[in-house]
Amino acid sequence: MKLTTKGRYAVMALADLANFNKANPVPLRDISFRQGISLFYLEQIFLKLKKHNIVRSIRGSGGGYILFKNADELKLSEIFFAVDEKVKTINCNKDSKKGCNGKLSKCITHNLWDELDLHINSFFENKKLSELTKTQNKKL
Amino acid sequence: MKLTTKGRYAVMALADLANFNKANPVPLRDISFRQGISLFYLEQIFLKLKKHNIVRSIRGSGGGYILFKNADELKLSEIFFAVDEKVKTINCNKDSKKGCNGKLSKCITHNLWDELDLHINSFFENKKLSELTKTQNKKL
DNA sequence: TATATACCCGAGTAAAATAGTCAAGATTAA
DNA sequence: TTAATCTTGACTATTTTACTCGGGTATATA
Ligand code: FES
Ligand code: FES
């Protein structure tokens, strides 16, 4: 059970963005440099973030990205959803009546994983991007 | 962020075991059949469970496995530990002062993932195997 | 208008992790 | 003895991840 780099980097990059977003758009090159993430990889990630209205882009010289919402309104769950980082603890098709491994009914552990799923997702649901930048600012 | 089959199957198999463990050892063939898990794969999993004293084995005809502890004393975290299903949300070496991506200090998101780690692990720490068999028994 | 700085987008690929298989052996009950 | 069962280490196919790359398009500014 681990996080993919896509989810991790998305949050990392957005936290960076939130910190430098005061007025001007932030180019990916800066984020890449500051966070040590490949520029090409960031491009891929930000394309998704843009499609899901997490960020807004400004093209051309002097361009870059800015947050679409305020950092204190942006939930981690939204970010994860945008980059396809999803929690998947159950094995079966949740909507179907059938269980995993082709069984006719749900398996013994189905409810457990369902509960776990809920437990984990509630973390992402309750966490805002701004909670990251605040601890960052405290240090300054 | 998903569960591996090893962790999932281990819990599934042990829940099955707990249900049929009344007096006699349960052979893997039965578990394999009931839960629809490859026998070979189960063998691999139970070897680990045995090494970590989750189950006890009885060889030979009429043999099989029995739980080492009572199901209400066996935490999911112990099971997961035994089969190497570990939660890994941070990217860096937790003990080192260095951060991920070769940075000299911990990254912006480090504390967040650490918190997440704790959040998830507390679920496994508080959940007992018996909580699975109980819901199962209710159905009967 | 030329140029440099950005974002845009689809494809491709290498490495790692996962999931599962297999063969040969050792024990023990019946 | 024989069949059932655990024991062990090695092996392999598949899938997923984590990138990389090439060739665009838009725009500020000199
Ligand atoms: S996880 Fe849903 S049936 Fe097994
Ligand atoms: S996760 Fe620990 S430094 Fe980034």
Side-chain angles (χ1 to χ4, degrees):
Chain A
M1 144 123 301
K2 62 174 112 164
L3 230 46
T4 64
T5 51
K6 228 157 201 162
R8 203 195 333 262
Y9 287 171
V11 175
M12 213 189 262
L14 287 172
D16 179 288
L17 187 56
N19 276 328
F20 288 87
N21 195 13
K22 307 309 171 193
N24 307 75
V26 180
L28 291 187
R29 198 159 43 79
D30 291 7
I31 300 181
S32 164
F33 177 74
R34 281 193 294 257
Q35 303 302 328
I37 304 169
S38 143
L39 176 61
F40 291 133
Y41 204 25
L42 275 180
E43 283 184 341
Q44 220 185 84
I45 292 168
F46 271 74
L47 221 55
K48 295 190 181 213
L49 292 175
K50 195 200 156 190
K51 269 187 192 136
H52 288 266
N53 287 326
I54 309 286
V55 294
R56 198 158 73 75
S57 69
I58 288 139
R59 295 176 79 160
S61 175
Y65 288 94
I66 41 181
L67 286 176
F68 208 90
K69 308 182 183 185
N70 280 333
D72 54 357
E73 287 167 3
L74 185 54
K75 297 187 277 188
L76 286 205
S77 54
E78 299 177 67
I79 299 171
F80 276 8
F81 177 77
V83 296
D84 299 309
E85 172 82 62
K86 41 188 162 234
V87 177
K88 179 158 171 37
T89 56
I90 58 170
N91 194 23
C92 61
N93 179 354
K94 212 176 166 180
D95 301 321
S96 153
K97 289 238 168 179
K98 287 189 184 168
C100 45
N101 297 336
K103 296 271 171 184
L104 290 168
S105 60
K106 298 295 183 190
C107 74
I108 336 176
T109 47
H110 179 90
N111 290 339
L112 175 73
W113 306 136
D114 215 22
E115 236 184 284
L116 173 58
D117 217 289
L118 219 65
H119 181 78
I120 297 177
N121 277 314
S122 80
F123 184 90
F124 301 137
E125 197 62 27
N126 292 317
K127 203 59 122 185
K128 305 278 166 44
L129 184 64
S130 55
E131 297 181 54
L132 281 168
T133 56
K134 271 175 201 153
T135 54
Q136 178 72 354
N137 290 341
K138 248 184 259 170
K139 283 191 202 153
L140 303 174
Chain B
M1 142 127 296
K2 61 174 114 163
L3 230 44
T4 63
T5 51
K6 227 156 202 162
R8 201 194 336 263
Y9 287 170
V11 175
M12 213 188 260
L14 287 172
D16 180 288
L17 188 55
N19 275 330
F20 287 88
N21 194 12
K22 306 312 173 194
N24 307 74
V26 180
L28 290 187
R29 197 159 45 79
D30 291 7
I31 299 181
S32 164
F33 177 74
R34 282 193 294 259
Q35 303 303 328
I37 304 169
S38 144
L39 177 60
F40 291 133
Y41 205 23
L42 275 179
E43 285 183 339
Q44 220 186 86
I45 292 169
F46 271 74
L47 218 57
K48 295 188 182 215
L49 292 175
K50 195 200 155 191
K51 269 186 191 137
H52 288 266
N53 287 325
I54 309 286
V55 294
R56 197 157 74 75
S57 70
I58 288 141
R59 296 175 79 160
S61 174
Y65 288 94
I66 41 181
L67 285 177
F68 207 91
K69 309 182 182 182
N70 280 332
D72 54 357
E73 288 167 2
L74 185 54
K75 297 187 278 187
L76 285 205
S77 54
E78 299 177 68
I79 301 171
F80 276 7
F81 177 77
V83 297
D84 300 309
E85 172 82 62
K86 42 190 160 230
V87 177
K88 180 156 170 36
T89 56
I90 60 170
N91 194 23
C92 62
N93 178 356
K94 212 177 166 180
D95 302 321
S96 152
K97 290 240 168 179
K98 287 187 184 168
C100 46
N101 297 337
K103 296 271 171 184
L104 290 168
S105 60
K106 297 296 182 190
C107 74
I108 335 177
T109 47
H110 179 90
N111 290 339
L112 175 73
W113 306 136
D114 214 23
E115 234 183 285
L116 173 57
D117 217 291
L118 219 65
H119 181 77
I120 297 176
N121 277 314
S122 80
F123 184 90
F124 301 137
E125 197 62 27
N126 292 317
K127 205 57 126 185
K128 305 277 166 43
L129 184 63
S130 55
E131 297 181 54
L132 281 169
T133 57
K134 271 176 202 152
T135 54
Q136 179 72 355
N137 291 340
K138 247 184 260 170
K139 283 191 203 155
L140 302 174

